[in-house]
Amino acid sequence: MLTAKMMSYMLVYGFKTIILRRKIPVIASVILTDLCNLHCKHCSVNNIERRIYSYDSVMRDIKTMYDKGARILMLYGGETMLWHDGEKSVSDIIRAARRMGYFNCNIVTNGTITLDIPEADTVLVSLDGGREKNDLIRGRT
Ligand code: SF4
């Protein structure tokens, strides 16, 4: 649901980008890790460094994008739901981003790990076609 705050931000955003032709990001896409539990045939990004970015590093990136104007957050992996930093989970990142001022916080996942994440506005699950084609590419998911 659009709040008055979102509406006024988008009106100002539209004025700056359409009328004044300034380039301001509205979506921040942040990668949390390249770790993944799948080995999709087409994938060239999983488990290269098996890196899990720290909570502080992720929040720095999210703040940098916020300061540039982004208000919609997309969190990616690897497999996003494998991310953790000590006690911190993806839910903590979303809660902190919302406190910062992001209007909309979403995750992209392969859907193989419990999706107990009510903090997310949208959970996008990657598939590659119907069951037969998907399982050929992604394994039995
Ligand atoms: S789920 Fe995504 S990151 Fe993982 S192997 Fe498949 S395409 Fe790559």
Side-chain angles (χ1 to χ4, degrees), residues 34-40 42-46 77-79 110 126 138:
D34 68 341
L35 268 187
C36 188
N37 57 336
L38 295 187
H39 301 279
C40 305
H42 59 276
C43 186
S44 58
V45 299
N46 64 335
E79 170 43 41
N110 64 29
S126 307
R138 296 186 160 252

Side-chain angles (χ1 to χ4, degrees), residues 56-125:
D56 289 345
S57 158
V58 167
M59 290 313 302
R60 258 196 314 276
D61 288 349
I62 289 173
K63 178 73 164 68
T64 298
M65 291 306 292
Y66 181 85
D67 291 343
K68 287 176 188 278
R71 294 296 181 271
I72 297 169
L73 178 64
M74 302 292 300
L75 298 175
Y76 294 91
E79 170 43 41
T80 313
M81 293 303 287
L82 286 176
W83 184 89
H84 62 89
D85 182 0
E87 296 291 303
K88 301 278 191 197
S89 68
V90 178
S91 297
D92 292 303
I93 293 175
I94 292 177
R95 279 194 288 267
R98 218 180 282 289
R99 280 195 301 275
M100 194 181 288
Y102 277 86
F103 301 144
N104 191 270
C105 302
N106 313 289
I107 71 160
V108 180
T109 171
N110 64 29
T112 59
I113 294 171
T114 307
L115 293 174
D116 181 17
I117 185 154
E119 295 81 4
D121 290 292
T122 310
V123 175
L124 296 137
V125 179

